[in-house]
């Protein structure tokens, strides 16, 4: 409805409806969702490709911890498409005992 669009938009913008719209909306990554999808992908079976993963200290710590726990270590996680997609090889539910203490920083949502 054009009245709703006018109410939300800046007073300098006057929407003029001309027909149906189509497009793609990309929302920013979420720390909570990113720190939940990483262990799910790492524990899963097969490969998982994650787009829109938030780049933050917390998600980096989560990925580093999972790298230490994953039987395939660093090879379980690989960035593709110029860093837009993270490929995760699932461990089929298997994890290893880490050789060192896991560091999660200040992350309150890391598993």
């Amino acid at each position: 409805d054009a009245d709703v669009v006018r109410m939300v938009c800046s007073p300098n913008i006057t929407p003029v409806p001309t027909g149906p719209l189509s497009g793609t909306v990309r929302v920013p990554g979420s720390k909570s969702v990113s720190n939940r999808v990483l262990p799910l992908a790492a524990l899963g079976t097969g490969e998982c490709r994650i787009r829109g993963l938030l780049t933050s200290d917390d998600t980096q710590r989560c990925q580093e911890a999972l790298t230490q726990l994953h039987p395939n270590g660093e090879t379980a996680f690989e960035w593709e498409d110029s860093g837009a997609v993270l490929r995760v090889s699932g461990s089929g539910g298997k994890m290893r005992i880490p050789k060192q203490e896991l560091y999660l920083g200040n992350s309150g949502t890391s598993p």
Side-chain angles (χ1 to χ4, degrees), residues 1-18:
D1 182 63
D3 291 330
V4 173
V5 174
R6 274 189 211 94
M7 188 172 62
V8 174
C9 290
S10 162
N12 297 328
I13 298 173
T14 304
V16 179
T18 59

Side-chain angles (χ1 to χ4, degrees), residues 31-51:
K31 178 176 65 171
S32 296
V33 171
S34 294
N35 280 352
R36 285 171 176 78
V37 75
L38 284 169
L40 289 173
L43 287 166
T45 303
E47 289 189 346
C48 180
R49 284 179 169 75
I50 305 168
R51 287 186 179 278

